[in-house]
Amino acid sequence: MMSYQEIVPIGTSLIIGATCFGLGVIYGNWPFDLNTLWRHDVPNGFEDSLNYYKQWGNSPMYIHYTLHAVGILGLIGHFIKLYKPDEEAKYFEYGSLGLFMVGIIIYLTNLRTGVNSCVSGEWGEVDQQTGINVVAASQVMIIFVLLGVLVLQGGLYYAQWYDNKLKEEFYRQEAEEAALAAEKQAKQEHDIVVEEQKEEAKATGASKSGNKSAKKRKS
């Protein structure tokens, strides 16, 4: 059975995958948003953008469900990492989840509503061009929050990598110091044993010399 620490990288992969998928979707809309939000000299810019978002809104529902499912996977990835967060890095995780939720909220309140307005033609209190620009501007905001998610996840990875590196260096130094201390202690014990053997040898030699002298006096 997999441990929690082995599941955490799966959560990270889900977060990064969902975030990159969202950025890819917005990148696909960029050519149309460019001609409405940033360029004002394209004759058919708003019409092309309107037709594009109409097509997106009228797409089969499984296309929309795919995007929603990817967003849910991103949330699951965050919840996996927040189940037992690292105390030193939990604010990275909370910040990442917060930004991801902001992106989802902007999508549901602005982008999704704008696409539905393109299909229905009902723009509420704004005109059509303003509504299309709101859709484009909302995607710019989503880009910033999703990039923030990637920055936080990258910062978290670097912080954990650097922390593990420092711990490995610390443990390595401790092991080297322990090995040196053990070697020094072994040398000291060896010197003590050698010294004791020398003392015993001297005592034995003195005893033999005393016995020889006693024998000579008797003779």
PDB file of all heavy atoms in Angstrom, residues 33 36-37 40 45-47 49-50 53 110-111 113-115 117-118 122-139 141:
ATOM      1  N   ASP A  33      -8.919  37.205 -28.667  1.00  0.00           N
ATOM      2  CA  ASP A  33      -8.898  38.255 -27.642  1.00  0.00           C
ATOM      3  C   ASP A  33      -7.922  39.367 -28.006  1.00  0.00           C
ATOM      4  O   ASP A  33      -8.125  40.528 -27.641  1.00  0.00           O
ATOM      5  CB  ASP A  33      -8.514  37.661 -26.283  1.00  0.00           C
ATOM      6  CG  ASP A  33      -9.529  36.642 -25.806  1.00  0.00           C
ATOM      7  OD1 ASP A  33     -10.698  36.734 -26.231  1.00  0.00           O
ATOM      8  OD2 ASP A  33      -9.155  35.754 -25.023  1.00  0.00           O
ATOM      9  N   THR A  36      -9.513  42.187 -29.948  1.00  0.00           N
ATOM     10  CA  THR A  36     -10.585  42.969 -29.319  1.00  0.00           C
ATOM     11  C   THR A  36     -10.084  43.759 -28.113  1.00  0.00           C
ATOM     12  O   THR A  36     -10.456  44.917 -27.931  1.00  0.00           O
ATOM     13  CB  THR A  36     -11.724  42.034 -28.863  1.00  0.00           C
ATOM     14  OG1 THR A  36     -11.208  41.063 -27.940  1.00  0.00           O
ATOM     15  CG2 THR A  36     -12.338  41.322 -30.050  1.00  0.00           C
ATOM     16  N   LEU A  37      -9.230  43.134 -27.315  1.00  0.00           N
ATOM     17  CA  LEU A  37      -8.782  43.788 -26.083  1.00  0.00           C
ATOM     18  C   LEU A  37      -7.544  44.643 -26.298  1.00  0.00           C
ATOM     19  O   LEU A  37      -7.389  45.698 -25.677  1.00  0.00           O
ATOM     20  CB  LEU A  37      -8.507  42.720 -25.016  1.00  0.00           C
ATOM     21  CG  LEU A  37      -8.209  43.224 -23.598  1.00  0.00           C
ATOM     22  CD1 LEU A  37      -9.410  43.978 -23.044  1.00  0.00           C
ATOM     23  CD2 LEU A  37      -7.842  42.063 -22.681  1.00  0.00           C
ATOM     24  N   HIS A  40      -7.256  47.669 -31.755  1.00  0.00           N
ATOM     25  CA  HIS A  40      -8.541  48.316 -32.026  1.00  0.00           C
ATOM     26  C   HIS A  40      -8.690  48.717 -33.491  1.00  0.00           C
ATOM     27  O   HIS A  40      -9.610  49.453 -33.841  1.00  0.00           O
ATOM     28  CB  HIS A  40      -8.691  49.558 -31.139  1.00  0.00           C
ATOM     29  CG  HIS A  40      -8.512  49.270 -29.684  1.00  0.00           C
ATOM     30  ND1 HIS A  40      -9.450  48.601 -28.927  1.00  0.00           N
ATOM     31  CD2 HIS A  40      -7.475  49.538 -28.840  1.00  0.00           C
ATOM     32  CE1 HIS A  40      -9.017  48.483 -27.678  1.00  0.00           C
ATOM     33  NE2 HIS A  40      -7.818  49.039 -27.602  1.00  0.00           N
ATOM     34  N   GLY A  45     -12.726  42.257 -35.805  1.00  0.00           N
ATOM     35  CA  GLY A  45     -12.217  41.627 -34.590  1.00  0.00           C
ATOM     36  C   GLY A  45     -13.317  41.167 -33.650  1.00  0.00           C
ATOM     37  O   GLY A  45     -13.322  40.017 -33.185  1.00  0.00           O
ATOM     38  N   PHE A  46     -14.275  42.038 -33.373  1.00  0.00           N
ATOM     39  CA  PHE A  46     -15.346  41.684 -32.439  1.00  0.00           C
ATOM     40  C   PHE A  46     -16.276  40.630 -33.036  1.00  0.00           C
ATOM     41  O   PHE A  46     -16.751  39.742 -32.322  1.00  0.00           O
ATOM     42  CB  PHE A  46     -16.144  42.937 -32.055  1.00  0.00           C
ATOM     43  CG  PHE A  46     -15.435  43.804 -31.060  1.00  0.00           C
ATOM     44  CD1 PHE A  46     -14.707  44.907 -31.474  1.00  0.00           C
ATOM     45  CD2 PHE A  46     -15.479  43.513 -29.704  1.00  0.00           C
ATOM     46  CE1 PHE A  46     -14.041  45.705 -30.555  1.00  0.00           C
ATOM     47  CE2 PHE A  46     -14.819  44.304 -28.776  1.00  0.00           C
ATOM     48  CZ  PHE A  46     -14.091  45.406 -29.199  1.00  0.00           C
ATOM     49  N   GLU A  47     -16.507  40.724 -34.327  1.00  0.00           N
ATOM     50  CA  GLU A  47     -17.378  39.737 -34.969  1.00  0.00           C
ATOM     51  C   GLU A  47     -16.737  38.351 -34.954  1.00  0.00           C
ATOM     52  O   GLU A  47     -17.406  37.343 -34.667  1.00  0.00           O
ATOM     53  CB  GLU A  47     -17.669  40.169 -36.405  1.00  0.00           C
ATOM     54  CG  GLU A  47     -18.641  39.240 -37.132  1.00  0.00           C
ATOM     55  CD  GLU A  47     -18.938  39.710 -38.546  1.00  0.00           C
ATOM     56  OE1 GLU A  47     -18.506  40.835 -38.897  1.00  0.00           O
ATOM     57  OE2 GLU A  47     -19.595  38.958 -39.288  1.00  0.00           O
ATOM     58  N   SER A  49     -14.486  37.292 -32.825  1.00  0.00           N
ATOM     59  CA  SER A  49     -14.468  36.828 -31.444  1.00  0.00           C
ATOM     60  C   SER A  49     -15.850  36.337 -31.021  1.00  0.00           C
ATOM     61  O   SER A  49     -15.982  35.303 -30.352  1.00  0.00           O
ATOM     62  CB  SER A  49     -13.997  37.957 -30.523  1.00  0.00           C
ATOM     63  OG  SER A  49     -13.893  37.505 -29.188  1.00  0.00           O
ATOM     64  N   LEU A  50     -16.889  37.063 -31.424  1.00  0.00           N
ATOM     65  CA  LEU A  50     -18.251  36.657 -31.086  1.00  0.00           C
ATOM     66  C   LEU A  50     -18.578  35.296 -31.689  1.00  0.00           C
ATOM     67  O   LEU A  50     -19.128  34.414 -31.009  1.00  0.00           O
ATOM     68  CB  LEU A  50     -19.236  37.714 -31.586  1.00  0.00           C
ATOM     69  CG  LEU A  50     -20.723  37.408 -31.368  1.00  0.00           C
ATOM     70  CD1 LEU A  50     -21.047  37.342 -29.882  1.00  0.00           C
ATOM     71  CD2 LEU A  50     -21.591  38.463 -32.062  1.00  0.00           C
ATOM     72  N   TYR A  53     -16.667  32.478 -29.766  1.00  0.00           N
ATOM     73  CA  TYR A  53     -17.232  32.116 -28.463  1.00  0.00           C
ATOM     74  C   TYR A  53     -18.628  31.515 -28.602  1.00  0.00           C
ATOM     75  O   TYR A  53     -19.046  30.713 -27.758  1.00  0.00           O
ATOM     76  CB  TYR A  53     -17.243  33.334 -27.536  1.00  0.00           C
ATOM     77  CG  TYR A  53     -15.865  33.677 -27.029  1.00  0.00           C
ATOM     78  CD1 TYR A  53     -15.249  34.876 -27.369  1.00  0.00           C
ATOM     79  CD2 TYR A  53     -15.164  32.779 -26.233  1.00  0.00           C
ATOM     80  CE1 TYR A  53     -13.974  35.182 -26.917  1.00  0.00           C
ATOM     81  CE2 TYR A  53     -13.887  33.072 -25.777  1.00  0.00           C
ATOM     82  CZ  TYR A  53     -13.297  34.275 -26.126  1.00  0.00           C
ATOM     83  OH  TYR A  53     -12.026  34.560 -25.683  1.00  0.00           O
ATOM     84  N   ASN A 110     -17.445  35.214 -14.854  1.00  0.00           N
ATOM     85  CA  ASN A 110     -17.213  36.129 -15.980  1.00  0.00           C
ATOM     86  C   ASN A 110     -17.140  35.403 -17.321  1.00  0.00           C
ATOM     87  O   ASN A 110     -17.893  35.714 -18.251  1.00  0.00           O
ATOM     88  CB  ASN A 110     -15.918  36.916 -15.767  1.00  0.00           C
ATOM     89  CG  ASN A 110     -16.050  37.936 -14.655  1.00  0.00           C
ATOM     90  OD1 ASN A 110     -17.068  38.014 -13.986  1.00  0.00           O
ATOM     91  ND2 ASN A 110     -15.010  38.726 -14.456  1.00  0.00           N
ATOM     92  N   LEU A 111     -16.213  34.449 -17.397  1.00  0.00           N
ATOM     93  CA  LEU A 111     -15.966  33.808 -18.688  1.00  0.00           C
ATOM     94  C   LEU A 111     -17.158  32.964 -19.125  1.00  0.00           C
ATOM     95  O   LEU A 111     -17.643  33.084 -20.262  1.00  0.00           O
ATOM     96  CB  LEU A 111     -14.697  32.962 -18.599  1.00  0.00           C
ATOM     97  CG  LEU A 111     -14.240  32.277 -19.885  1.00  0.00           C
ATOM     98  CD1 LEU A 111     -14.063  33.289 -21.004  1.00  0.00           C
ATOM     99  CD2 LEU A 111     -12.940  31.523 -19.640  1.00  0.00           C
ATOM    100  N   THR A 113     -20.254  33.088 -18.074  1.00  0.00           N
ATOM    101  CA  THR A 113     -21.415  33.953 -18.300  1.00  0.00           C
ATOM    102  C   THR A 113     -21.291  34.700 -19.624  1.00  0.00           C
ATOM    103  O   THR A 113     -22.274  34.857 -20.366  1.00  0.00           O
ATOM    104  CB  THR A 113     -21.552  34.959 -17.143  1.00  0.00           C
ATOM    105  OG1 THR A 113     -21.680  34.246 -15.911  1.00  0.00           O
ATOM    106  CG2 THR A 113     -22.766  35.845 -17.338  1.00  0.00           C
ATOM    107  N   GLY A 114     -20.077  35.158 -19.937  1.00  0.00           N
ATOM    108  CA  GLY A 114     -19.864  35.862 -21.198  1.00  0.00           C
ATOM    109  C   GLY A 114     -20.091  34.970 -22.401  1.00  0.00           C
ATOM    110  O   GLY A 114     -20.681  35.402 -23.413  1.00  0.00           O
ATOM    111  N   VAL A 115     -19.645  33.723 -22.323  1.00  0.00           N
ATOM    112  CA  VAL A 115     -19.860  32.787 -23.431  1.00  0.00           C
ATOM    113  C   VAL A 115     -21.353  32.525 -23.618  1.00  0.00           C
ATOM    114  O   VAL A 115     -21.859  32.479 -24.757  1.00  0.00           O
ATOM    115  CB  VAL A 115     -19.089  31.477 -23.172  1.00  0.00           C
ATOM    116  CG1 VAL A 115     -19.475  30.416 -24.198  1.00  0.00           C
ATOM    117  CG2 VAL A 115     -17.590  31.723 -23.223  1.00  0.00           C
ATOM    118  N   SER A 117     -23.689  34.575 -22.899  1.00  0.00           N
ATOM    119  CA  SER A 117     -24.254  35.800 -23.479  1.00  0.00           C
ATOM    120  C   SER A 117     -23.986  35.874 -24.974  1.00  0.00           C
ATOM    121  O   SER A 117     -24.819  36.381 -25.744  1.00  0.00           O
ATOM    122  CB  SER A 117     -23.670  37.030 -22.779  1.00  0.00           C
ATOM    123  OG  SER A 117     -24.038  37.055 -21.413  1.00  0.00           O
ATOM    124  N   CYS A 118     -22.823  35.377 -25.399  1.00  0.00           N
ATOM    125  CA  CYS A 118     -22.534  35.335 -26.838  1.00  0.00           C
ATOM    126  C   CYS A 118     -23.549  34.456 -27.571  1.00  0.00           C
ATOM    127  O   CYS A 118     -23.958  34.758 -28.698  1.00  0.00           O
ATOM    128  CB  CYS A 118     -21.123  34.806 -27.076  1.00  0.00           C
ATOM    129  SG  CYS A 118     -19.795  35.935 -26.594  1.00  0.00           S
ATOM    130  N   GLU A 122     -27.918  38.171 -25.095  1.00  0.00           N
ATOM    131  CA  GLU A 122     -28.370  39.030 -23.997  1.00  0.00           C
ATOM    132  C   GLU A 122     -27.163  39.408 -23.139  1.00  0.00           C
ATOM    133  O   GLU A 122     -26.547  38.557 -22.497  1.00  0.00           O
ATOM    134  CB  GLU A 122     -29.416  38.296 -23.155  1.00  0.00           C
ATOM    135  CG  GLU A 122     -30.673  37.928 -23.938  1.00  0.00           C
ATOM    136  CD  GLU A 122     -31.672  37.158 -23.097  1.00  0.00           C
ATOM    137  OE1 GLU A 122     -31.356  36.907 -21.906  1.00  0.00           O
ATOM    138  OE2 GLU A 122     -32.744  36.803 -23.621  1.00  0.00           O
ATOM    139  N   TRP A 123     -26.857  40.700 -23.114  1.00  0.00           N
ATOM    140  CA  TRP A 123     -25.656  41.178 -22.431  1.00  0.00           C
ATOM    141  C   TRP A 123     -25.956  41.959 -21.157  1.00  0.00           C
ATOM    142  O   TRP A 123     -25.045  42.499 -20.533  1.00  0.00           O
ATOM    143  CB  TRP A 123     -24.833  42.048 -23.384  1.00  0.00           C
ATOM    144  CG  TRP A 123     -24.277  41.258 -24.529  1.00  0.00           C
ATOM    145  CD1 TRP A 123     -24.823  41.121 -25.768  1.00  0.00           C
ATOM    146  CD2 TRP A 123     -23.092  40.468 -24.523  1.00  0.00           C
ATOM    147  NE1 TRP A 123     -24.052  40.294 -26.553  1.00  0.00           N
ATOM    148  CE2 TRP A 123     -22.969  39.884 -25.805  1.00  0.00           C
ATOM    149  CE3 TRP A 123     -22.113  40.191 -23.574  1.00  0.00           C
ATOM    150  CZ2 TRP A 123     -21.919  39.049 -26.162  1.00  0.00           C
ATOM    151  CZ3 TRP A 123     -21.061  39.362 -23.922  1.00  0.00           C
ATOM    152  CH2 TRP A 123     -20.967  38.798 -25.197  1.00  0.00           C
ATOM    153  N   GLY A 124     -27.185  42.026 -20.785  1.00  0.00           N
ATOM    154  CA  GLY A 124     -27.532  42.704 -19.540  1.00  0.00           C
ATOM    155  C   GLY A 124     -27.320  44.203 -19.628  1.00  0.00           C
ATOM    156  O   GLY A 124     -27.835  44.863 -20.538  1.00  0.00           O
ATOM    157  N   GLU A 125     -26.539  44.741 -18.709  1.00  0.00           N
ATOM    158  CA  GLU A 125     -26.360  46.188 -18.616  1.00  0.00           C
ATOM    159  C   GLU A 125     -25.226  46.717 -19.487  1.00  0.00           C
ATOM    160  O   GLU A 125     -24.955  47.918 -19.477  1.00  0.00           O
ATOM    161  CB  GLU A 125     -26.097  46.578 -17.151  1.00  0.00           C
ATOM    162  CG  GLU A 125     -27.244  46.224 -16.213  1.00  0.00           C
ATOM    163  CD  GLU A 125     -26.936  46.588 -14.779  1.00  0.00           C
ATOM    164  OE1 GLU A 125     -25.801  47.044 -14.518  1.00  0.00           O
ATOM    165  OE2 GLU A 125     -27.817  46.414 -13.925  1.00  0.00           O
ATOM    166  N   VAL A 126     -24.533  45.855 -20.209  1.00  0.00           N
ATOM    167  CA  VAL A 126     -23.421  46.303 -21.055  1.00  0.00           C
ATOM    168  C   VAL A 126     -23.744  45.986 -22.505  1.00  0.00           C
ATOM    169  O   VAL A 126     -24.623  45.166 -22.810  1.00  0.00           O
ATOM    170  CB  VAL A 126     -22.098  45.621 -20.640  1.00  0.00           C
ATOM    171  CG1 VAL A 126     -21.748  45.962 -19.205  1.00  0.00           C
ATOM    172  CG2 VAL A 126     -22.181  44.110 -20.823  1.00  0.00           C
ATOM    173  N   ASP A 127     -22.999  46.644 -23.410  1.00  0.00           N
ATOM    174  CA  ASP A 127     -23.197  46.335 -24.823  1.00  0.00           C
ATOM    175  C   ASP A 127     -22.344  45.130 -25.216  1.00  0.00           C
ATOM    176  O   ASP A 127     -21.559  44.610 -24.423  1.00  0.00           O
ATOM    177  CB  ASP A 127     -22.866  47.549 -25.689  1.00  0.00           C
ATOM    178  CG  ASP A 127     -21.442  48.058 -25.476  1.00  0.00           C
ATOM    179  OD1 ASP A 127     -20.584  47.259 -25.056  1.00  0.00           O
ATOM    180  OD2 ASP A 127     -21.191  49.250 -25.714  1.00  0.00           O
ATOM    181  N   GLN A 128     -22.497  44.709 -26.444  1.00  0.00           N
ATOM    182  CA  GLN A 128     -21.835  43.484 -26.904  1.00  0.00           C
ATOM    183  C   GLN A 128     -20.320  43.603 -26.877  1.00  0.00           C
ATOM    184  O   GLN A 128     -19.626  42.688 -26.402  1.00  0.00           O
ATOM    185  CB  GLN A 128     -22.313  43.161 -28.324  1.00  0.00           C
ATOM    186  CG  GLN A 128     -21.647  41.938 -28.933  1.00  0.00           C
ATOM    187  CD  GLN A 128     -22.189  41.619 -30.300  1.00  0.00           C
ATOM    188  OE1 GLN A 128     -23.335  41.197 -30.426  1.00  0.00           O
ATOM    189  NE2 GLN A 128     -21.389  41.840 -31.340  1.00  0.00           N
ATOM    190  N   GLN A 129     -19.781  44.707 -27.359  1.00  0.00           N
ATOM    191  CA  GLN A 129     -18.325  44.860 -27.406  1.00  0.00           C
ATOM    192  C   GLN A 129     -17.723  44.884 -26.003  1.00  0.00           C
ATOM    193  O   GLN A 129     -16.674  44.280 -25.762  1.00  0.00           O
ATOM    194  CB  GLN A 129     -17.962  46.128 -28.176  1.00  0.00           C
ATOM    195  CG  GLN A 129     -18.270  46.051 -29.659  1.00  0.00           C
ATOM    196  CD  GLN A 129     -17.708  47.239 -30.426  1.00  0.00           C
ATOM    197  OE1 GLN A 129     -17.104  48.142 -29.838  1.00  0.00           O
ATOM    198  NE2 GLN A 129     -17.903  47.251 -31.736  1.00  0.00           N
ATOM    199  N   THR A 130     -18.393  45.574 -25.093  1.00  0.00           N
ATOM    200  CA  THR A 130     -17.898  45.594 -23.714  1.00  0.00           C
ATOM    201  C   THR A 130     -17.937  44.196 -23.112  1.00  0.00           C
ATOM    202  O   THR A 130     -17.003  43.775 -22.410  1.00  0.00           O
ATOM    203  CB  THR A 130     -18.742  46.557 -22.859  1.00  0.00           C
ATOM    204  OG1 THR A 130     -18.704  47.863 -23.439  1.00  0.00           O
ATOM    205  CG2 THR A 130     -18.210  46.615 -21.438  1.00  0.00           C
ATOM    206  N   GLY A 131     -19.003  43.458 -23.387  1.00  0.00           N
ATOM    207  CA  GLY A 131     -19.110  42.098 -22.865  1.00  0.00           C
ATOM    208  C   GLY A 131     -18.010  41.192 -23.392  1.00  0.00           C
ATOM    209  O   GLY A 131     -17.427  40.393 -22.643  1.00  0.00           O
ATOM    210  N   ILE A 132     -17.702  41.319 -24.683  1.00  0.00           N
ATOM    211  CA  ILE A 132     -16.629  40.500 -25.261  1.00  0.00           C
ATOM    212  C   ILE A 132     -15.286  40.874 -24.642  1.00  0.00           C
ATOM    213  O   ILE A 132     -14.440  40.005 -24.363  1.00  0.00           O
ATOM    214  CB  ILE A 132     -16.608  40.669 -26.792  1.00  0.00           C
ATOM    215  CG1 ILE A 132     -17.858  40.025 -27.405  1.00  0.00           C
ATOM    216  CG2 ILE A 132     -15.350  40.045 -27.386  1.00  0.00           C
ATOM    217  CD1 ILE A 132     -17.994  40.244 -28.898  1.00  0.00           C
ATOM    218  N   ASN A 133     -15.075  42.162 -24.404  1.00  0.00           N
ATOM    219  CA  ASN A 133     -13.827  42.580 -23.759  1.00  0.00           C
ATOM    220  C   ASN A 133     -13.747  42.103 -22.313  1.00  0.00           C
ATOM    221  O   ASN A 133     -12.656  41.833 -21.803  1.00  0.00           O
ATOM    222  CB  ASN A 133     -13.696  44.104 -23.814  1.00  0.00           C
ATOM    223  CG  ASN A 133     -13.103  44.578 -25.126  1.00  0.00           C
ATOM    224  OD1 ASN A 133     -12.424  43.822 -25.815  1.00  0.00           O
ATOM    225  ND2 ASN A 133     -13.367  45.827 -25.483  1.00  0.00           N
ATOM    226  N   VAL A 134     -14.891  42.009 -21.646  1.00  0.00           N
ATOM    227  CA  VAL A 134     -14.899  41.460 -20.286  1.00  0.00           C
ATOM    228  C   VAL A 134     -14.453  39.999 -20.312  1.00  0.00           C
ATOM    229  O   VAL A 134     -13.690  39.544 -19.449  1.00  0.00           O
ATOM    230  CB  VAL A 134     -16.297  41.597 -19.652  1.00  0.00           C
ATOM    231  CG1 VAL A 134     -16.387  40.779 -18.362  1.00  0.00           C
ATOM    232  CG2 VAL A 134     -16.604  43.056 -19.358  1.00  0.00           C
ATOM    233  N   VAL A 135     -14.923  39.262 -21.310  1.00  0.00           N
ATOM    234  CA  VAL A 135     -14.497  37.864 -21.466  1.00  0.00           C
ATOM    235  C   VAL A 135     -12.984  37.793 -21.663  1.00  0.00           C
ATOM    236  O   VAL A 135     -12.288  36.983 -21.032  1.00  0.00           O
ATOM    237  CB  VAL A 135     -15.232  37.206 -22.650  1.00  0.00           C
ATOM    238  CG1 VAL A 135     -14.648  35.827 -22.945  1.00  0.00           C
ATOM    239  CG2 VAL A 135     -16.721  37.093 -22.357  1.00  0.00           C
ATOM    240  N   ALA A 136     -12.460  38.655 -22.531  1.00  0.00           N
ATOM    241  CA  ALA A 136     -11.021  38.650 -22.801  1.00  0.00           C
ATOM    242  C   ALA A 136     -10.228  39.068 -21.566  1.00  0.00           C
ATOM    243  O   ALA A 136      -9.210  38.452 -21.220  1.00  0.00           O
ATOM    244  CB  ALA A 136     -10.715  39.583 -23.971  1.00  0.00           C
ATOM    245  N   ALA A 137     -10.688  40.121 -20.882  1.00  0.00           N
ATOM    246  CA  ALA A 137      -9.976  40.590 -19.688  1.00  0.00           C
ATOM    247  C   ALA A 137     -10.025  39.553 -18.573  1.00  0.00           C
ATOM    248  O   ALA A 137      -9.060  39.403 -17.807  1.00  0.00           O
ATOM    249  CB  ALA A 137     -10.585  41.910 -19.214  1.00  0.00           C
ATOM    250  N   SER A 138     -11.121  38.825 -18.478  1.00  0.00           N
ATOM    251  CA  SER A 138     -11.230  37.780 -17.455  1.00  0.00           C
ATOM    252  C   SER A 138     -10.184  36.699 -17.679  1.00  0.00           C
ATOM    253  O   SER A 138      -9.606  36.165 -16.723  1.00  0.00           O
ATOM    254  CB  SER A 138     -12.636  37.170 -17.482  1.00  0.00           C
ATOM    255  OG  SER A 138     -13.619  38.147 -17.194  1.00  0.00           O
ATOM    256  N   GLN A 139      -9.926  36.400 -18.931  1.00  0.00           N
ATOM    257  CA  GLN A 139      -8.918  35.382 -19.224  1.00  0.00           C
ATOM    258  C   GLN A 139      -7.512  35.873 -18.883  1.00  0.00           C
ATOM    259  O   GLN A 139      -6.652  35.085 -18.480  1.00  0.00           O
ATOM    260  CB  GLN A 139      -9.017  34.973 -20.694  1.00  0.00           C
ATOM    261  CG  GLN A 139     -10.315  34.250 -20.997  1.00  0.00           C
ATOM    262  CD  GLN A 139     -10.414  33.811 -22.439  1.00  0.00           C
ATOM    263  OE1 GLN A 139      -9.899  32.764 -22.820  1.00  0.00           O
ATOM    264  NE2 GLN A 139     -11.076  34.620 -23.251  1.00  0.00           N
ATOM    265  N   MET A 141      -6.875  37.801 -16.354  1.00  0.00           N
ATOM    266  CA  MET A 141      -6.793  37.616 -14.902  1.00  0.00           C
ATOM    267  C   MET A 141      -6.553  36.148 -14.550  1.00  0.00           C
ATOM    268  O   MET A 141      -5.775  35.829 -13.640  1.00  0.00           O
ATOM    269  CB  MET A 141      -8.080  38.129 -14.241  1.00  0.00           C
ATOM    270  CG  MET A 141      -8.235  39.636 -14.288  1.00  0.00           C
ATOM    271  SD  MET A 141      -9.638  40.236 -13.310  1.00  0.00           S
ATOM    272  CE  MET A 141     -11.009  39.706 -14.341  1.00  0.00           C
TER     273      MET A 141
END
